[in-house]
Amino acid sequence: MKKIVTYSLNFIADLGHSLNFLLSIFWTALKGRIRWAEVFKQVYEQGVNSIVIIALTSLASGLVLAMQSYVVLVRFGAKEFIAPLVALSLVRELGPIFTALIFSGKAGARITAELGTMNVNDQILATRTLGVDPIEYFVLPRMLGCMLVLPVLTILAELIGIYGGYLIGVYEAGIPKVFYMNQTFRSIQFTDFNSGFIKVFFFALLIGWVCCYQGFVTRGGSIGVGKYTTKAVALSYILIIVSNTILTKIILTFWP
Protein backbone atom coordinates (compact mmCIF):
# COMPACT_ATOMS: atom_id res chain seq x y z
CA MET A 1 0.00 0.00 0.00
CA LYS A 2 2.84 2.35 0.85
CA LYS A 3 4.45 1.71 -2.54
CA ILE A 4 1.19 2.48 -4.33
CA VAL A 5 0.79 5.76 -2.45
CA THR A 6 4.42 6.71 -3.13
CA TYR A 7 4.09 5.86 -6.82
CA SER A 8 0.85 7.87 -7.09
CA LEU A 9 2.38 10.92 -5.43
CA ASN A 10 5.46 10.72 -7.66
CA PHE A 11 3.25 10.41 -10.73
CA ILE A 12 1.18 13.47 -9.75
CA ALA A 13 4.33 15.48 -9.03
CA ASP A 14 5.93 14.44 -12.32
CA LEU A 15 2.75 15.30 -14.21
CA GLY A 16 2.69 18.73 -12.59
CA HIS A 17 6.33 19.37 -13.50
CA SER A 18 5.75 18.25 -17.10
CA LEU A 19 2.70 20.54 -17.45
CA ASN A 20 4.71 23.45 -16.03
CA PHE A 21 7.45 22.58 -18.54
CA LEU A 22 4.90 22.72 -21.39
CA LEU A 23 3.58 26.08 -20.18
CA SER A 24 7.14 27.41 -20.11
CA ILE A 25 7.55 26.39 -23.76
CA PHE A 26 4.29 28.11 -24.74
CA TRP A 27 5.24 31.25 -22.82
CA THR A 28 8.64 31.41 -24.50
CA ALA A 29 7.00 31.01 -27.92
CA LEU A 30 4.39 33.69 -27.16
CA LYS A 31 7.14 36.14 -26.24
CA GLY A 32 8.55 35.61 -29.74
CA ARG A 33 11.88 34.28 -28.52
CA ILE A 34 12.29 31.79 -31.35
CA ARG A 35 15.69 30.96 -32.80
CA TRP A 36 14.68 30.20 -36.37
CA ALA A 37 18.14 29.07 -37.40
CA GLU A 38 17.95 26.31 -34.78
CA VAL A 39 14.38 25.49 -35.82
CA PHE A 40 15.37 24.96 -39.46
CA LYS A 41 18.32 22.87 -38.33
CA GLN A 42 15.93 20.65 -36.37
CA VAL A 43 13.56 20.46 -39.35
CA TYR A 44 16.42 19.16 -41.46
CA GLU A 45 17.74 16.71 -38.87
CA GLN A 46 14.37 15.34 -37.81
CA GLY A 47 12.82 15.29 -41.27
CA VAL A 48 15.57 14.09 -43.58
CA ASN A 49 16.74 11.35 -41.21
CA SER A 50 13.19 9.97 -40.96
CA ILE A 51 12.20 9.99 -44.63
CA VAL A 52 13.62 6.61 -45.64
CA ILE A 53 12.16 4.55 -42.81
CA ILE A 54 8.77 6.27 -43.09
CA ALA A 55 8.72 5.80 -46.86
CA LEU A 56 9.52 2.09 -46.58
CA THR A 57 6.92 1.56 -43.86
CA SER A 58 4.26 3.47 -45.79
CA LEU A 59 4.92 1.57 -49.00
CA ALA A 60 4.73 -1.74 -47.17
CA SER A 61 1.51 -0.65 -45.42
CA GLY A 62 -0.12 0.31 -48.70
CA LEU A 63 0.93 -2.94 -50.36
CA VAL A 64 -0.29 -5.13 -47.50
CA LEU A 65 -3.54 -3.20 -47.09
CA ALA A 66 -4.30 -3.53 -50.80
CA MET A 67 -3.43 -7.24 -50.85
CA GLN A 68 -5.64 -8.01 -47.87
CA SER A 69 -8.45 -5.87 -49.30
CA TYR A 70 -8.20 -7.69 -52.63
CA VAL A 71 -8.49 -11.10 -50.96
CA VAL A 72 -11.65 -10.04 -49.12
CA LEU A 73 -13.36 -7.88 -51.75
CA VAL A 74 -12.86 -10.28 -54.65
CA ARG A 75 -15.07 -12.78 -52.80
CA PHE A 76 -17.96 -10.35 -53.14
CA GLY A 77 -17.11 -9.24 -56.67
CA ALA A 78 -16.19 -5.76 -55.43
CA LYS A 79 -12.47 -5.50 -56.17
CA GLU A 80 -12.99 -2.02 -57.67
CA PHE A 81 -13.44 -0.74 -54.10
CA ILE A 82 -9.79 -1.46 -53.28
CA ALA A 83 -8.84 2.11 -54.23
CA PRO A 84 -11.22 3.97 -51.88
CA LEU A 85 -10.60 1.49 -49.06
CA VAL A 86 -6.81 1.94 -49.22
CA ALA A 87 -6.99 5.72 -49.68
CA LEU A 88 -9.46 6.38 -46.88
CA SER A 89 -7.73 4.00 -44.46
CA LEU A 90 -4.39 5.72 -44.99
CA VAL A 91 -5.66 9.31 -45.00
CA ARG A 92 -8.03 9.05 -42.05
CA GLU A 93 -6.19 6.66 -39.76
CA LEU A 94 -3.15 4.61 -40.73
CA GLY A 95 -1.04 7.37 -42.28
CA PRO A 96 -1.09 9.74 -39.28
CA ILE A 97 -0.71 7.12 -36.56
CA PHE A 98 1.98 5.00 -38.30
CA THR A 99 4.00 8.11 -39.15
CA ALA A 100 3.71 9.43 -35.58
CA LEU A 101 4.81 6.11 -34.07
CA ILE A 102 7.82 5.80 -36.38
CA PHE A 103 8.73 9.46 -35.91
CA SER A 104 8.63 9.15 -32.12
CA GLY A 105 10.90 6.10 -32.24
CA LYS A 106 13.37 7.78 -34.62
CA ALA A 107 13.39 11.55 -34.11
CA GLY A 108 11.80 11.50 -30.63
CA ALA A 109 14.45 9.18 -29.27
CA ARG A 110 17.13 11.40 -30.76
CA ILE A 111 15.67 14.50 -29.10
CA THR A 112 15.60 12.82 -25.68
CA ALA A 113 19.10 11.43 -26.05
CA GLU A 114 20.52 14.80 -27.12
CA LEU A 115 18.92 16.78 -24.31
CA GLY A 116 19.66 14.01 -21.81
CA THR A 117 23.33 13.99 -22.75
CA MET A 118 23.47 17.77 -22.45
CA ASN A 119 21.84 17.58 -19.03
CA VAL A 120 24.12 14.92 -17.53
CA ASN A 121 27.15 16.78 -18.92
CA ASP A 122 25.91 20.03 -17.30
CA GLN A 123 25.59 21.85 -20.63
CA ILE A 124 22.06 22.97 -19.77
CA LEU A 125 23.28 24.26 -16.40
CA ALA A 126 26.10 26.09 -18.18
CA THR A 127 23.64 27.90 -20.48
CA ARG A 128 21.69 29.08 -17.44
CA THR A 129 24.94 30.34 -15.90
CA LEU A 130 25.65 32.32 -19.07
CA GLY A 131 22.21 33.92 -18.88
CA VAL A 132 20.68 31.94 -21.75
CA ASP A 133 17.29 30.32 -21.31
CA PRO A 134 17.68 26.58 -22.12
CA ILE A 135 13.98 26.38 -23.02
CA GLU A 136 14.54 29.02 -25.69
CA TYR A 137 17.84 27.63 -26.95
CA PHE A 138 17.38 23.84 -26.75
CA VAL A 139 13.73 22.92 -26.26
CA LEU A 140 11.57 25.29 -28.30
CA PRO A 141 13.43 24.70 -31.61
CA ARG A 142 12.98 20.95 -31.20
CA MET A 143 9.29 21.34 -30.38
CA LEU A 144 8.70 23.55 -33.40
CA GLY A 145 10.74 21.14 -35.52
CA CYS A 146 8.33 18.35 -34.59
CA MET A 147 5.31 20.53 -35.35
CA LEU A 148 6.64 21.44 -38.80
CA VAL A 149 8.13 18.11 -39.85
CA LEU A 150 5.49 15.57 -38.86
CA PRO A 151 2.66 16.96 -41.07
CA VAL A 152 4.96 16.93 -44.11
CA LEU A 153 6.13 13.38 -43.37
CA THR A 154 2.50 12.31 -42.95
CA ILE A 155 1.53 13.66 -46.38
CA LEU A 156 4.54 11.87 -47.86
CA ALA A 157 3.58 8.64 -46.08
CA GLU A 158 0.00 8.82 -47.34
CA LEU A 159 1.07 9.41 -50.94
CA ILE A 160 3.56 6.54 -50.88
CA GLY A 161 1.02 4.25 -49.19
CA ILE A 162 -1.60 5.07 -51.84
CA TYR A 163 1.00 4.33 -54.51
CA GLY A 164 1.64 0.94 -52.90
CA GLY A 165 -2.10 0.22 -53.09
CA TYR A 166 -2.07 1.38 -56.71
CA LEU A 167 0.62 -1.19 -57.60
CA ILE A 168 -1.43 -4.05 -56.17
CA GLY A 169 -4.74 -2.78 -57.54
CA VAL A 170 -3.45 -2.30 -61.07
CA TYR A 171 -0.89 -5.06 -61.54
CA GLU A 172 -2.39 -7.82 -59.38
CA ALA A 173 -6.12 -7.10 -59.19
CA GLY A 174 -6.21 -5.98 -62.82
CA ILE A 175 -8.01 -2.68 -62.21
CA PRO A 176 -7.50 -0.12 -65.04
CA LYS A 177 -5.02 2.60 -64.09
CA VAL A 178 -7.26 5.56 -64.88
CA PHE A 179 -10.22 3.97 -63.08
CA TYR A 180 -8.12 3.27 -59.99
CA MET A 181 -6.86 6.86 -59.81
CA ASN A 182 -10.35 8.28 -60.37
CA GLN A 183 -11.73 6.10 -57.58
CA THR A 184 -8.94 7.25 -55.29
CA PHE A 185 -9.46 10.98 -55.89
CA ARG A 186 -13.26 10.73 -55.77
CA SER A 187 -13.20 8.86 -52.44
CA ILE A 188 -11.03 11.37 -50.54
CA GLN A 189 -12.91 14.43 -49.37
CA PHE A 190 -11.68 17.47 -47.50
CA THR A 191 -13.13 16.20 -44.22
CA ASP A 192 -11.20 12.93 -44.56
CA PHE A 193 -7.89 14.71 -45.08
CA ASN A 194 -8.59 17.29 -42.39
CA SER A 195 -9.56 14.76 -39.72
CA GLY A 196 -6.23 12.99 -40.16
CA PHE A 197 -4.33 16.27 -40.12
CA ILE A 198 -5.90 17.33 -36.81
CA LYS A 199 -4.47 14.19 -35.27
CA VAL A 200 -1.03 14.83 -36.77
CA PHE A 201 -0.59 18.23 -35.10
CA PHE A 202 -1.74 16.80 -31.77
CA PHE A 203 0.67 13.87 -32.11
CA ALA A 204 3.54 16.25 -32.94
CA LEU A 205 2.80 18.27 -29.79
CA LEU A 206 2.75 15.11 -27.65
CA ILE A 207 5.99 13.73 -29.10
CA GLY A 208 7.85 17.02 -28.73
CA TRP A 209 6.56 17.60 -25.21
CA VAL A 210 7.27 14.10 -23.86
CA CYS A 211 10.68 13.66 -25.49
CA CYS A 212 11.94 17.15 -24.61
CA TYR A 213 10.75 16.85 -21.01
CA GLN A 214 12.31 13.41 -20.48
CA GLY A 215 15.59 14.65 -21.91
CA PHE A 216 15.42 17.80 -19.80
CA VAL A 217 15.05 15.86 -16.53
CA THR A 218 17.49 13.04 -17.34
CA ARG A 219 19.67 11.96 -14.43
CA GLY A 220 22.17 9.17 -13.80
CA GLY A 221 24.88 9.61 -16.42
CA SER A 222 25.04 7.54 -19.60
CA ILE A 223 22.84 4.81 -18.11
CA GLY A 224 20.24 7.43 -17.27
CA VAL A 225 20.26 8.71 -20.86
CA GLY A 226 19.32 5.26 -22.13
CA LYS A 227 16.70 4.82 -19.42
CA TYR A 228 14.98 8.15 -20.02
CA THR A 229 15.15 7.76 -23.82
CA THR A 230 13.40 4.40 -23.59
CA LYS A 231 10.83 5.91 -21.22
CA ALA A 232 10.19 8.80 -23.60
CA VAL A 233 9.56 6.54 -26.59
CA ALA A 234 7.31 4.21 -24.59
CA LEU A 235 5.27 7.13 -23.21
CA SER A 236 4.99 8.63 -26.69
CA TYR A 237 3.64 5.36 -28.08
CA ILE A 238 1.08 5.05 -25.29
CA LEU A 239 -0.08 8.66 -25.56
CA ILE A 240 -0.35 8.47 -29.35
CA ILE A 241 -2.49 5.32 -29.24
CA VAL A 242 -4.72 6.56 -26.41
CA SER A 243 -5.13 10.06 -27.83
CA ASN A 244 -5.85 8.62 -31.28
CA THR A 245 -8.83 6.74 -29.82
CA ILE A 246 -10.14 9.86 -28.07
CA LEU A 247 -9.60 12.12 -31.08
CA THR A 248 -11.26 9.63 -33.42
CA LYS A 249 -14.35 9.55 -31.22
CA ILE A 250 -14.48 13.35 -31.01
CA ILE A 251 -13.97 13.83 -34.74
CA LEU A 252 -16.58 11.25 -35.70
CA THR A 253 -19.04 12.78 -33.25
CA PHE A 254 -18.76 16.40 -34.38
CA TRP A 255 -17.28 16.01 -37.87
CA PRO A 256 -18.36 12.63 -39.41
Short mmCIF file of all heavy atoms in Angstrom, two decimals, residues 81-127:
data_model
loop_
_atom_site.label_atom_id
_atom_site.label_comp_id
_atom_site.label_asym_id
_atom_site.label_seq_id
_atom_site.Cartn_x
_atom_site.Cartn_y
_atom_site.Cartn_z
N PHE A 81 -13.42 -1.58 -55.31
CA PHE A 81 -13.44 -0.74 -54.10
C PHE A 81 -12.10 -0.79 -53.34
O PHE A 81 -12.01 -0.24 -52.24
CB PHE A 81 -14.57 -1.18 -53.17
CG PHE A 81 -15.95 -0.87 -53.70
CD1 PHE A 81 -16.74 -1.87 -54.22
CD2 PHE A 81 -16.41 0.44 -53.72
CE1 PHE A 81 -18.00 -1.59 -54.72
CE2 PHE A 81 -17.68 0.73 -54.22
CZ PHE A 81 -18.47 -0.29 -54.72
N ILE A 82 -11.11 -1.45 -53.91
CA ILE A 82 -9.79 -1.46 -53.28
C ILE A 82 -9.24 -0.05 -53.16
O ILE A 82 -8.68 0.34 -52.13
CB ILE A 82 -8.81 -2.34 -54.09
CG1 ILE A 82 -9.23 -3.81 -54.01
CG2 ILE A 82 -7.38 -2.18 -53.57
CD1 ILE A 82 -8.38 -4.72 -54.88
N ALA A 83 -9.39 0.74 -54.22
CA ALA A 83 -8.84 2.11 -54.23
C ALA A 83 -9.39 2.98 -53.11
O ALA A 83 -8.61 3.55 -52.34
CB ALA A 83 -9.08 2.75 -55.59
N PRO A 84 -10.72 3.13 -52.98
CA PRO A 84 -11.22 3.97 -51.88
C PRO A 84 -10.91 3.41 -50.50
O PRO A 84 -10.67 4.17 -49.56
CB PRO A 84 -12.74 4.02 -52.12
CG PRO A 84 -13.04 2.90 -53.02
CD PRO A 84 -11.81 2.68 -53.86
N LEU A 85 -10.89 2.08 -50.37
CA LEU A 85 -10.60 1.49 -49.06
C LEU A 85 -9.17 1.82 -48.63
O LEU A 85 -8.93 2.24 -47.49
CB LEU A 85 -10.80 -0.02 -49.11
CG LEU A 85 -10.80 -0.77 -47.77
CD1 LEU A 85 -11.67 -2.01 -47.86
CD2 LEU A 85 -9.40 -1.16 -47.32
N VAL A 86 -8.22 1.65 -49.54
CA VAL A 86 -6.81 1.94 -49.22
C VAL A 86 -6.63 3.43 -48.95
O VAL A 86 -5.99 3.83 -47.96
CB VAL A 86 -5.89 1.48 -50.37
CG1 VAL A 86 -4.46 1.99 -50.15
CG2 VAL A 86 -5.89 -0.03 -50.50
N ALA A 87 -7.18 4.27 -49.82
CA ALA A 87 -6.99 5.72 -49.68
C ALA A 87 -7.57 6.25 -48.38
O ALA A 87 -6.91 6.98 -47.64
CB ALA A 87 -7.61 6.42 -50.88
N LEU A 88 -8.82 5.87 -48.09
CA LEU A 88 -9.46 6.38 -46.88
C LEU A 88 -8.80 5.84 -45.61
O LEU A 88 -8.67 6.56 -44.62
CB LEU A 88 -10.95 6.02 -46.89
CG LEU A 88 -11.80 6.78 -47.91
CD1 LEU A 88 -13.23 6.25 -47.93
CD2 LEU A 88 -11.80 8.28 -47.60
N SER A 89 -8.39 4.58 -45.64
CA SER A 89 -7.73 4.00 -44.46
C SER A 89 -6.43 4.73 -44.15
O SER A 89 -6.12 5.02 -42.99
CB SER A 89 -7.45 2.52 -44.70
OG SER A 89 -8.64 1.79 -44.87
N LEU A 90 -5.67 5.05 -45.20
CA LEU A 90 -4.39 5.72 -44.99
C LEU A 90 -4.57 7.18 -44.59
O LEU A 90 -3.88 7.68 -43.69
CB LEU A 90 -3.54 5.64 -46.27
CG LEU A 90 -2.97 4.26 -46.59
CD1 LEU A 90 -2.39 4.23 -47.99
CD2 LEU A 90 -1.89 3.88 -45.58
N VAL A 91 -5.50 7.88 -45.25
CA VAL A 91 -5.66 9.31 -45.00
C VAL A 91 -6.30 9.58 -43.64
O VAL A 91 -5.88 10.47 -42.90
CB VAL A 91 -6.49 9.96 -46.12
CG1 VAL A 91 -6.87 11.40 -45.78
CG2 VAL A 91 -5.70 9.94 -47.43
N ARG A 92 -7.30 8.79 -43.29
CA ARG A 92 -8.03 9.05 -42.05
C ARG A 92 -7.35 8.48 -40.81
O ARG A 92 -7.44 9.03 -39.73
CB ARG A 92 -9.45 8.47 -42.15
CG ARG A 92 -10.36 9.18 -43.12
CD ARG A 92 -11.78 8.65 -43.03
NE ARG A 92 -12.38 9.00 -41.76
CZ ARG A 92 -13.16 10.05 -41.56
NH1 ARG A 92 -13.47 10.84 -42.57
NH2 ARG A 92 -13.69 10.30 -40.37
N GLU A 93 -6.65 7.36 -40.96
CA GLU A 93 -6.19 6.66 -39.76
C GLU A 93 -4.73 6.19 -39.82
O GLU A 93 -3.90 6.61 -39.03
CB GLU A 93 -7.10 5.47 -39.50
CG GLU A 93 -6.90 4.81 -38.15
CD GLU A 93 -7.31 5.71 -37.00
OE1 GLU A 93 -8.23 6.52 -37.18
OE2 GLU A 93 -6.68 5.62 -35.93
N LEU A 94 -4.44 5.29 -40.75
CA LEU A 94 -3.15 4.61 -40.73
C LEU A 94 -1.98 5.53 -41.01
O LEU A 94 -0.92 5.40 -40.38
CB LEU A 94 -3.16 3.45 -41.74
CG LEU A 94 -4.18 2.34 -41.48
CD1 LEU A 94 -4.05 1.24 -42.52
CD2 LEU A 94 -4.01 1.77 -40.08
N GLY A 95 -2.13 6.45 -41.96
CA GLY A 95 -1.04 7.37 -42.28
C GLY A 95 -0.59 8.20 -41.09
O GLY A 95 0.60 8.18 -40.71
N PRO A 96 -1.51 8.92 -40.44
CA PRO A 96 -1.09 9.74 -39.28
C PRO A 96 -0.51 8.94 -38.13
O PRO A 96 0.54 9.30 -37.58
CB PRO A 96 -2.40 10.43 -38.87
CG PRO A 96 -3.23 10.46 -40.10
CD PRO A 96 -2.90 9.20 -40.84
N ILE A 97 -1.16 7.83 -37.76
CA ILE A 97 -0.71 7.12 -36.56
C ILE A 97 0.59 6.35 -36.82
O ILE A 97 1.49 6.33 -35.98
CB ILE A 97 -1.81 6.19 -36.00
CG1 ILE A 97 -1.43 5.75 -34.58
CG2 ILE A 97 -2.04 4.99 -36.91
CD1 ILE A 97 -2.57 5.11 -33.83
N PHE A 98 0.74 5.71 -37.99
CA PHE A 98 1.98 5.00 -38.30
C PHE A 98 3.15 5.98 -38.38
O PHE A 98 4.23 5.71 -37.86
CB PHE A 98 1.86 4.24 -39.62
CG PHE A 98 1.17 2.91 -39.49
CD1 PHE A 98 0.95 2.11 -40.59
CD2 PHE A 98 0.75 2.45 -38.25
CE1 PHE A 98 0.32 0.87 -40.47
CE2 PHE A 98 0.12 1.22 -38.11
CZ PHE A 98 -0.10 0.44 -39.22
N THR A 99 2.93 7.11 -39.02
CA THR A 99 4.00 8.11 -39.15
C THR A 99 4.40 8.65 -37.78
O THR A 99 5.60 8.83 -37.49
CB THR A 99 3.55 9.27 -40.05
OG1 THR A 99 3.10 8.75 -41.30
CG2 THR A 99 4.70 10.23 -40.30
N ALA A 100 3.42 8.91 -36.92
CA ALA A 100 3.71 9.43 -35.58
C ALA A 100 4.50 8.41 -34.75
O ALA A 100 5.45 8.77 -34.05
CB ALA A 100 2.42 9.81 -34.87
N LEU A 101 4.11 7.15 -34.84
CA LEU A 101 4.81 6.11 -34.07
C LEU A 101 6.25 5.96 -34.54
O LEU A 101 7.19 5.87 -33.72
CB LEU A 101 4.08 4.78 -34.21
CG LEU A 101 2.72 4.67 -33.50
CD1 LEU A 101 2.01 3.38 -33.87
CD2 LEU A 101 2.88 4.77 -31.98
N ILE A 102 6.46 5.95 -35.85
CA ILE A 102 7.82 5.80 -36.38
C ILE A 102 8.65 7.04 -36.05
O ILE A 102 9.82 6.95 -35.67
CB ILE A 102 7.78 5.57 -37.90
CG1 ILE A 102 7.08 4.24 -38.20
CG2 ILE A 102 9.18 5.55 -38.49
CD1 ILE A 102 6.69 4.08 -39.64
N PHE A 103 8.03 8.20 -36.18
CA PHE A 103 8.73 9.46 -35.91
C PHE A 103 9.16 9.55 -34.45
O PHE A 103 10.27 10.00 -34.14
CB PHE A 103 7.82 10.63 -36.26
CG PHE A 103 8.47 11.98 -36.10
CD1 PHE A 103 9.32 12.47 -37.06
CD2 PHE A 103 8.21 12.75 -34.98
CE1 PHE A 103 9.91 13.71 -36.92
CE2 PHE A 103 8.79 13.99 -34.83
CZ PHE A 103 9.64 14.48 -35.80
N SER A 104 8.29 9.10 -33.54
CA SER A 104 8.63 9.15 -32.12
C SER A 104 9.78 8.20 -31.80
O SER A 104 10.63 8.50 -30.96
CB SER A 104 7.41 8.81 -31.26
OG SER A 104 6.97 7.50 -31.50
N GLY A 105 9.81 7.04 -32.47
CA GLY A 105 10.90 6.10 -32.24
C GLY A 105 12.21 6.54 -32.86
O GLY A 105 13.28 6.17 -32.38
N LYS A 106 12.15 7.34 -33.92
CA LYS A 106 13.37 7.78 -34.62
C LYS A 106 13.79 9.16 -34.14
O LYS A 106 14.81 9.31 -33.47
CB LYS A 106 13.09 7.81 -36.12
CG LYS A 106 14.31 8.13 -36.99
CD LYS A 106 15.23 6.94 -37.07
CE LYS A 106 16.33 7.18 -38.11
NZ LYS A 106 17.20 8.34 -37.83
N ALA A 107 13.02 10.18 -34.47
CA ALA A 107 13.39 11.55 -34.11
C ALA A 107 13.16 11.83 -32.63
O ALA A 107 13.96 12.54 -31.99
CB ALA A 107 12.59 12.55 -34.95
N GLY A 108 12.07 11.27 -32.05
CA GLY A 108 11.80 11.50 -30.63
C GLY A 108 12.90 10.96 -29.74
O GLY A 108 13.31 11.61 -28.76
N ALA A 109 13.36 9.76 -30.05
CA ALA A 109 14.45 9.18 -29.27
C ALA A 109 15.72 10.02 -29.38
O ALA A 109 16.45 10.20 -28.39
CB ALA A 109 14.72 7.75 -29.75
N ARG A 110 15.96 10.55 -30.56
CA ARG A 110 17.13 11.40 -30.76
C ARG A 110 17.03 12.67 -29.92
O ARG A 110 18.02 13.08 -29.29
CB ARG A 110 17.25 11.76 -32.24
CG ARG A 110 18.34 12.76 -32.54
CD ARG A 110 18.47 13.03 -34.02
NE ARG A 110 19.53 13.98 -34.26
CZ ARG A 110 20.18 14.10 -35.41
NH1 ARG A 110 19.86 13.32 -36.42
NH2 ARG A 110 21.13 15.00 -35.56
N ILE A 111 15.86 13.27 -29.89
CA ILE A 111 15.67 14.50 -29.10
C ILE A 111 15.96 14.23 -27.63
O ILE A 111 16.68 14.99 -26.97
CB ILE A 111 14.22 15.02 -29.28
CG1 ILE A 111 14.02 15.56 -30.68
CG2 ILE A 111 13.90 16.10 -28.25
CD1 ILE A 111 12.58 15.90 -31.01
N THR A 112 15.39 13.14 -27.10
CA THR A 112 15.60 12.82 -25.68
C THR A 112 17.06 12.53 -25.39
O THR A 112 17.61 12.99 -24.37
CB THR A 112 14.74 11.61 -25.28
OG1 THR A 112 13.39 11.84 -25.64
CG2 THR A 112 14.82 11.36 -23.78
N ALA A 113 17.70 11.78 -26.26
CA ALA A 113 19.10 11.43 -26.05
C ALA A 113 20.00 12.66 -26.10
O ALA A 113 20.92 12.81 -25.28
CB ALA A 113 19.55 10.41 -27.10
N GLU A 114 19.72 13.58 -27.02
CA GLU A 114 20.52 14.80 -27.12
C GLU A 114 20.38 15.67 -25.87
O GLU A 114 21.39 16.08 -25.27
CB GLU A 114 20.09 15.60 -28.35
CG GLU A 114 20.56 15.04 -29.67
CD GLU A 114 20.07 15.83 -30.86
OE1 GLU A 114 19.15 16.66 -30.68
OE2 GLU A 114 20.60 15.63 -31.96
N LEU A 115 19.14 15.94 -25.49
CA LEU A 115 18.92 16.78 -24.31
C LEU A 115 19.39 16.08 -23.04
O LEU A 115 19.92 16.72 -22.13
CB LEU A 115 17.43 17.12 -24.19
CG LEU A 115 16.87 18.07 -25.26
CD1 LEU A 115 15.37 18.25 -25.08
CD2 LEU A 115 17.58 19.40 -25.23
N GLY A 116 19.20 14.76 -22.98
CA GLY A 116 19.66 14.01 -21.81
C GLY A 116 21.17 14.05 -21.66
O GLY A 116 21.70 14.22 -20.55
N THR A 117 21.87 13.91 -22.77
CA THR A 117 23.33 13.99 -22.75
C THR A 117 23.80 15.38 -22.33
O THR A 117 24.75 15.53 -21.55
CB THR A 117 23.90 13.64 -24.13
OG1 THR A 117 23.46 12.34 -24.52
CG2 THR A 117 25.43 13.66 -24.11
N MET A 118 23.13 16.41 -22.86
CA MET A 118 23.47 17.77 -22.45
C MET A 118 23.24 17.97 -20.95
O MET A 118 24.04 18.64 -20.29
CB MET A 118 22.60 18.77 -23.23
CG MET A 118 22.87 18.86 -24.70
SD MET A 118 21.71 20.00 -25.50
CE MET A 118 22.10 19.71 -27.23
N ASN A 119 22.18 17.38 -20.44
CA ASN A 119 21.84 17.58 -19.03
C ASN A 119 22.85 16.89 -18.12
O ASN A 119 23.31 17.49 -17.14
CB ASN A 119 20.43 17.05 -18.77
CG ASN A 119 19.84 17.60 -17.49
OD1 ASN A 119 20.22 18.68 -17.02
ND2 ASN A 119 18.90 16.88 -16.90
N VAL A 120 23.19 15.64 -18.41
CA VAL A 120 24.12 14.92 -17.53
C VAL A 120 25.54 15.48 -17.65
O VAL A 120 26.36 15.30 -16.74
CB VAL A 120 24.11 13.41 -17.84
CG1 VAL A 120 22.75 12.81 -17.59
CG2 VAL A 120 24.57 13.12 -19.26
N ASN A 121 25.83 16.15 -18.76
CA ASN A 121 27.15 16.78 -18.92
C ASN A 121 27.15 18.24 -18.46
O ASN A 121 28.13 18.96 -18.71
CB ASN A 121 27.60 16.71 -20.38
CG ASN A 121 27.95 15.30 -20.80
OD1 ASN A 121 28.31 14.46 -19.98
ND2 ASN A 121 27.84 15.02 -22.09
N ASP A 122 26.05 18.68 -17.86
CA ASP A 122 25.91 20.03 -17.30
C ASP A 122 25.94 21.14 -18.35
O ASP A 122 26.21 22.31 -18.02
CB ASP A 122 27.00 20.30 -16.25
CG ASP A 122 26.83 19.43 -15.01
OD1 ASP A 122 25.68 19.08 -14.70
OD2 ASP A 122 27.84 19.11 -14.37
N GLN A 123 25.65 20.81 -19.60
CA GLN A 123 25.59 21.85 -20.63
C GLN A 123 24.37 22.75 -20.43
O GLN A 123 24.45 23.97 -20.67
CB GLN A 123 25.54 21.21 -22.02
CG GLN A 123 26.85 20.57 -22.46
CD GLN A 123 26.72 19.89 -23.80
OE1 GLN A 123 26.62 18.67 -23.90
NE2 GLN A 123 26.71 20.66 -24.86
N ILE A 124 23.25 22.17 -20.02
CA ILE A 124 22.06 22.97 -19.77
C ILE A 124 22.29 23.91 -18.60
O ILE A 124 21.89 25.09 -18.63
CB ILE A 124 20.85 22.05 -19.52
CG1 ILE A 124 20.50 21.29 -20.81
CG2 ILE A 124 19.65 22.85 -19.02
CD1 ILE A 124 19.35 20.33 -20.66
N LEU A 125 22.95 23.41 -17.54
CA LEU A 125 23.28 24.26 -16.40
C LEU A 125 24.22 25.39 -16.82
O LEU A 125 24.09 26.53 -16.35
CB LEU A 125 23.92 23.42 -15.30
CG LEU A 125 24.36 24.15 -14.02
CD1 LEU A 125 23.15 24.79 -13.35
CD2 LEU A 125 25.07 23.19 -13.08
N ALA A 126 25.15 25.08 -17.72
CA ALA A 126 26.10 26.09 -18.18
C ALA A 126 25.39 27.21 -18.95
O ALA A 126 25.75 28.38 -18.82
CB ALA A 126 27.16 25.44 -19.07
N THR A 127 24.37 26.86 -19.75
CA THR A 127 23.64 27.90 -20.48
C THR A 127 22.89 28.82 -19.52
O THR A 127 22.82 30.03 -19.76
CB THR A 127 22.64 27.27 -21.47
OG1 THR A 127 21.73 26.42 -20.76
CG2 THR A 127 23.36 26.46 -22.53
#
